[in-house]
Amino acid sequence: MECGKGLRCPFQSCTTKGTGLAAVFINLAVENFSGWKYAATFSIIQHSYFAGFLVYIIFNLGLVISSVFIVTHFAPAAAGSGIPEIKGYLNGVDTHGILLFRTLIGKIFGSIGSVGGGLALGKEGPLVHTGACIASLLGQGGSTKYHLSSRWLRIFESDRDRRDLVTCGCAAGVAAAFRAPVGGVLFALEEVTSWWRSQLMWRVFFTSAVVAVVVRSAMSWCKSGKCGHFGSGGFIIWDISGGQEDYSFQELLPMAIIGVIGGLLGALFNQLTLYITNWRRKYLHKKGNRVKIIEVCLISLITSVISFGLPLFRKCSPCPNSEVNPGIECPRPPGTDGNFVNFYCSDDKEYNDLATIFFNTQDDAIRNLFSAKTFHEYSAQSLLTFLVMFYSLAVVTFGTAVPAGQFVPGIMIGSTYGRLVGMFVVKFYKKLNVEEGTYALLGAASFLGGSMRMTVSLCVIMVEITNNLKLLPLIMLVLLISKAVGDFFNNGLYEEQAQLRGIPLLESRSKQYMRTMTAKEACKNQKVVYFSRIVKVADIVSILRSNKHNGFPVVDHGQNGETLVIGLILRSHLLVLLQSKVDFQNSPFPCDIRGISNRHNFSDFVKPVSSKGVSIEEIHLTEEELELYLDLAPFLNPSPYIVPEDMSLAKVYNLFRQLGLRHIFVVPRASRVIGLITRKDLLIEENDDSAIMELQSTSVRSQQLDRRTMGRHVQLEHPLLDGILTQE
């Protein structure tokens, strides 16, 4: 039943509301913790900079320690952004622990600690994981371990429906993080999901729309001043609609240069994080949780020293003339966000440009870099210093045992060198109406495109968060250039991290060598492990213990004594049958299928997406039970996907990718054809008598097969099995 028919809309609505409220809660907590930290620090440094420095370090360490403690001792799967794991799950690969209830809790509170503690990380990536966790938990009825479940929620019992709901959760996470509902839809389409349908488009669109309403309603509540340091709120995060109105042909060259810089720095970022993360996994994190905690604390200490200490060495600049710029408040009062921060300045009418971006929250620093009508606010030396230091901190911090996103740090890095280029353009083209903030926006888009390799979704997200549709062609230009440059060196950030974690993602295109290989060659003469229809319980246990395969062919003997493949049975289904023991029988003969429905429900064979399910080691059988038999026919899939042995491996790859398969049987070339199905046969109407005649007319015998049937798709019967291809 579709969402519009009233069955699934309540669940998607609950997912969106939960994700929206989680995003609002994380934002409120991060902004208030950061506000209290900066207010206390600015208040103390009026008397002693050393005492303020100690308070600043202690505040950051306390938040960061709470985050890493939650991850290491409560929710290990909450570390990182979670997007590679969710992308793998939607690609058909289950990773244990990524959708647990404790992972959700660890993601929310861990993000508050890591981002509020001033690390060079963002909260937007973890919000995608948070939305996926909420969707998954609602789809399976909650968490049984923590007694937060309800049977009336359990309507998503098919794997496809659950993955669709998780896709909606990912879109809700992006829509809530950036307050960009259309960008959330496109992010789910372009980045996370592997199999897209028109039905899923409607559901994801509905999800993002509800998130937009929930977030806007929650933020309107903050306009009354009830949200503390969060401020009055606003749906557009970094509004630059009052900035540069137009651009000239002469500006396209420096904008293209920004795209090239973004591709180079993005590819370098991916490669450096890959090397460092691989080194951590091999040598550092194997030593236990204590080492993980010490590592994060050291990085927090270094980050605090740099963000507090470097502005002390920067000479303050005089405030702009208030008569010429009446809308500018300079300097800002201590403890408040905005431009022109007074930090270690001898005069009350001076500001520290490096502290304006360093000693500030990331959202406020980006707002300062994007700001218009602020010529000469930053010096090139300060921007270059911040770029080098923050880039290094982001590389080192990514991969630690805390929830970490790279959207906002990427925007910070890109907007810094973008503003640098903008300063040179302003200096070179003196007669043009050029805004440095416009180039900061293009730099942010270029770095994200060069690192994450997204185009359409990222373009729409940047337009939505800045409220400036006029810059859309320029954003498209720098994204295309940065992606092309980055693709020349390596894969995107999430693909690299997924490969490092051992997640076998199937890319949109097959490899070149697959076109010359056949399905039989891919099987590599493997020995096929299969079950007979009537099998002894002891044989099932032995095979499951000696093999890690998730699916097994089932064979039976025909009337002429030939071996026939009758279907596929999953490992998880065999474990359910062994655990229940109600289908064991004494005789090695077929059972009565009519009693199966009385002993099992469909939900018994549905694997919870938030747990690894039952393992063979957890099942205990007596010697008498091991000697019993089990008829597998009622529990197998009688029509698995099959391909002939000489089919191109590239075609097999496309079947896996487009149909979302886990297994494909490789069988010998068929000796006869049962029938022929055409496109017209699939468009028949119900109760149409002519449809039966049409189907009968396409049925042919093997001796009547002529050249007109060559190249068509046919349904084949195969008496033998050459191999089985899996995603493993």
Side-chain angles (χ1 to χ4, degrees):
M1 185 174 289
E2 295 302 320
C3 182
K5 296 182 181 179
L7 182 59
R8 294 177 179 172
C9 279
F11 295 92
Q12 292 174 215
S13 180
C14 291
T15 300
T16 56
K17 291 177 181 177
T19 306
L21 293 176
V24 172
F25 173 73
I26 292 174
N27 276 283
L28 286 175
V30 169
E31 292 294 327
N32 277 284
F33 277 123
S34 300
W36 296 330
K37 174 180 64 179
Y38 288 118
T41 304
F42 272 112
S43 176
I44 295 175
I45 63 176
Q46 303 300 319
H47 309 284
S48 172
Y49 272 86
F50 182 74
F53 176 60
L54 291 180
V55 170
Y56 182 70
I57 288 180
I58 293 173
F59 216 114
N60 284 339
L61 273 178
L63 289 172
V64 169
I65 288 175
S66 66
S67 176
V68 68
F69 185 84
I70 290 173
V71 170
T72 55
H73 291 81
F74 180 68
S81 68
I83 293 180
E85 290 80 2
I86 297 299
K87 189 173 180 178
Y89 172 75
L90 295 177
N91 197 257
V93 182
D94 292 337
T95 304
H96 172 57
I98 62 170
L99 298 174
L100 294 173
F101 177 73
R102 67 170 180 264
T103 302
L104 171 63
I105 300 300
K107 210 74 178 183
I108 293 175
F109 290 97
S111 298
I112 294 173
S114 61
V115 179
L119 295 179
L121 303 170
K123 55 185 179 295
E124 284 69 20
L127 267 174
V128 177
H129 194 179
T130 299
C133 288
I134 293 175
S136 174
L137 291 169
L138 287 174
Q140 68 174 7
S143 174
T144 56
K145 180 178 180 180
Y146 297 99
H147 307 289
L148 298 173
S149 61
S150 177
R151 293 193 63 85
W152 69 271
L153 288 173
R154 301 176 188 174
I155 66 169
F156 295 95
E157 294 185 339
S158 72
D159 189 64
R160 188 188 70 176
D161 288 340
R162 287 186 174 182
R163 293 183 191 275
D164 285 354
L165 193 61
V166 171
T167 303
C168 294
C170 293
V174 174
F178 293 104
R179 307 166 211 168
V182 181
V185 176
L186 296 176
F187 176 83
L189 168 63
E190 181 179 6
E191 188 63 22
V192 294
T193 189
S194 299
W195 310 292
W196 193 263
R197 310 185 312 277
S198 58
Q199 298 173 345
L200 184 59
M201 172 69 82
W202 154 248
R203 295 168 186 167
V204 173
F205 185 79
F206 171 81
T207 302
S208 299
V210 176
V211 165
V213 175
V214 171
V215 174
R216 180 181 287 272
S217 301
M219 296 188 66
S220 63
W221 182 71
C222 295
K223 291 184 178 180
S224 59
K226 299 178 180 179
C227 297
H229 289 272
F230 189 70
S232 59
F235 200 68
I236 306 299
I237 299 181
W238 303 299
D239 192 346
I240 60 170
S241 55
Q244 186 170 335
E245 295 291 336
D246 200 2
Y247 50 90
S248 66
F249 181 78
Q250 295 171 296
E251 294 181 74
L252 294 181
L253 178 59
M255 291 175 181
I257 293 175
I258 288 179
V260 174
I261 296 174
L264 294 174
L265 291 182
L268 179 62
F269 182 87
N270 294 355
Q271 204 64 36
L272 291 177
T273 53
L274 181 65
Y275 287 150
I276 294 177
T277 305
N278 189 30
W279 176 80
R280 275 197 184 100
R281 293 168 65 90
K282 285 185 177 180
Y283 303 105
L284 198 62
H285 287 178
K286 286 184 177 181
K287 298 180 180 180
N289 292 333
R290 181 178 297 180
V291 175
K292 296 179 181 179
I293 295 175
I294 294 175
E295 178 198 19
V296 175
C297 290
L298 287 176
I299 293 177
S300 174
L301 183 63
I302 294 173
T303 304
S304 299
V305 170
I306 290 176
S307 60
F308 192 99
L310 283 182
L312 296 177
F313 297 97
R314 179 62 189 161
K315 183 180 179 181
C316 294
S317 303
C319 289
N321 191 340
S322 58
E323 296 180 358
V324 180
N325 304 282
I328 293 179
E329 182 181 1
C330 179
R332 290 279 181 174
T336 60
D337 63 292
N339 299 62
F340 307 106
V341 173
N342 187 302
F343 185 81
Y344 203 64
C345 297
S346 57
D347 193 344
D348 292 338
K349 289 298 181 180
E350 292 182 339
Y351 72 97
N352 191 316
D353 61 342
L354 190 56
T356 302
I357 49 178
F358 234 141
F359 203 68
N360 219 332
T361 63
Q362 293 184 16
D363 287 352
D364 293 334
I366 293 172
R367 189 175 292 108
N368 297 341
L369 290 170
F370 282 178
S371 60
K373 313 300 182 185
T374 53
F375 292 109
H376 311 298
E377 178 183 355
Y378 305 99
S379 65
Q381 182 182 1
S382 295
L383 290 177
L384 189 60
T385 301
F386 177 80
L387 174 62
V388 173
M389 299 309 300
F390 192 84
Y391 189 94
S392 303
L393 289 174
V395 169
V396 174
T397 309
F398 188 82
T400 54
V402 292
Q406 282 305 117
F407 275 103
V408 170
I411 293 175
M412 288 274 289
I413 294 170
S415 59
T416 305
Y417 67 74
R419 184 128 189 160
L420 266 172
V421 175
M423 292 174 59
F424 289 110
V425 173
V426 170
K427 187 176 182 180
F428 189 75
Y429 301 115
K430 296 181 180 180
K431 297 182 180 180
L432 296 178
N433 182 23
V434 178
E435 286 285 354
E436 297 174 3
T438 300
Y439 286 82
L441 169 63
L442 297 179
S446 70
F447 184 83
L448 292 179
S451 176
M452 299 179 183
R453 312 293 160 79
M454 295 186 293
T455 52
V456 180
S457 59
L458 188 57
C459 183
V460 174
I461 289 174
M462 297 303 294
V463 170
E464 287 188 283
I465 64 178
T466 56
N467 195 28
N468 196 329
L469 190 60
K470 296 179 181 179
L471 298 180
L472 178 61
L474 302 181
I475 296 175
M476 295 172 64
L477 173 66
V478 297
L479 280 176
L480 290 173
I481 295 175
S482 63
K483 184 182 186 304
V485 173
D487 286 338
F488 182 79
F489 295 99
N490 50 31
N491 294 323
L493 177 66
Y494 299 135
E495 287 76 13
E496 294 280 4
Q497 294 298 318
Q499 182 179 1
L500 181 63
R501 289 169 170 79
I503 302 174
L505 291 179
L506 294 182
E507 300 177 1
S508 57
R509 291 184 179 182
S510 60
K511 302 295 183 182
Q512 186 69 26
Y513 71 89
M514 293 184 179
R515 298 183 180 182
T516 59
M517 287 185 63
T518 63
K520 185 176 182 179
E521 292 173 346
C523 294
K524 299 178 181 179
N525 297 322
Q526 60 175 288
K527 181 180 179 181
V528 180
V529 181
Y530 63 90
F531 289 107
S532 300
R533 173 182 174 176
I534 312 297
V535 61
K536 186 178 289 188
V537 174
D539 294 336
I540 298 177
V541 174
S542 175
I543 291 177
L544 292 182
R545 286 179 175 173
S546 58
N547 294 274
K548 299 298 182 182
H549 303 319
N550 289 315
F552 301 90
V554 180
V555 300
D556 197 6
H557 297 286
Q559 297 179 353
N560 300 327
E562 59 180 350
T563 302
L564 298 176
V565 179
I566 62 174
L568 168 75
I569 190 164
L570 297 179
R571 182 186 189 92
S572 59
H573 292 181
L574 289 172
L575 294 173
V576 170
L577 296 175
L578 293 178
Q579 189 178 41
S580 64
K581 305 178 183 180
V582 296
D583 298 288
F584 293 174
Q585 58 187 40
N586 294 314
S587 61
F589 299 103
C591 66
D592 185 7
I593 301 180
R594 292 175 295 180
I596 298 297
S597 60
N598 298 328
R599 298 195 297 266
H600 294 285
N601 295 322
F602 178 76
S603 59
D604 296 339
F605 296 93
V606 177
K607 178 185 175 183
V609 293
S610 60
S611 67
K612 60 182 179 180
V614 183
S615 65
I616 187 63
E617 287 76 15
E618 299 173 357
I619 298 176
H620 303 285
L621 300 171
T622 63
E623 293 294 334
E624 293 78 9
E625 292 170 337
L626 290 173
E627 296 300 320
L628 299 178
Y629 294 88
L630 187 61
D631 185 2
L632 302 180
F635 311 102
L636 54 80
N637 175 12
S639 55
Y641 286 91
I642 57 177
V643 296
E645 59 182 347
D646 55 353
M647 176 179 278
S648 168
L649 187 59
K651 290 185 177 180
V652 177
Y653 184 96
N654 291 333
L655 286 177
F656 266 97
R657 186 68 167 74
Q658 297 171 6
L659 300 179
L661 304 182
R662 297 295 302 274
H663 313 87
I664 283 184
F665 286 174
V666 180
V667 296
R669 172 61 64 180
S671 59
R672 61 192 181 97
V673 178
I674 300 300
L676 176 70
I677 295 179
T678 65
R679 183 184 296 268
K680 187 176 180 181
D681 299 325
L682 303 177
L683 301 176
I684 59 177
E685 301 290 339
E686 290 188 30
N687 302 323
D688 189 355
D689 294 336
S690 63
I692 301 177
M693 297 298 297
E694 178 69 22
L695 288 175
Q696 290 177 349
S697 66
T698 60
S699 179
V700 294
R701 297 295 181 183
S702 59
Q703 63 267 24
Q704 296 174 338
L705 183 64
D706 59 15
R707 295 180 181 178
R708 290 175 298 175
T709 63
M710 301 303 292
R712 303 279 187 93
H713 296 283
V714 295
Q715 178 67 39
L716 306 175
E717 283 190 349
H718 300 277
L720 301 174
L721 183 70
D722 275 355
I724 178 170
L725 291 178
T726 69
Q727 274 197 358
E728 299 170 358

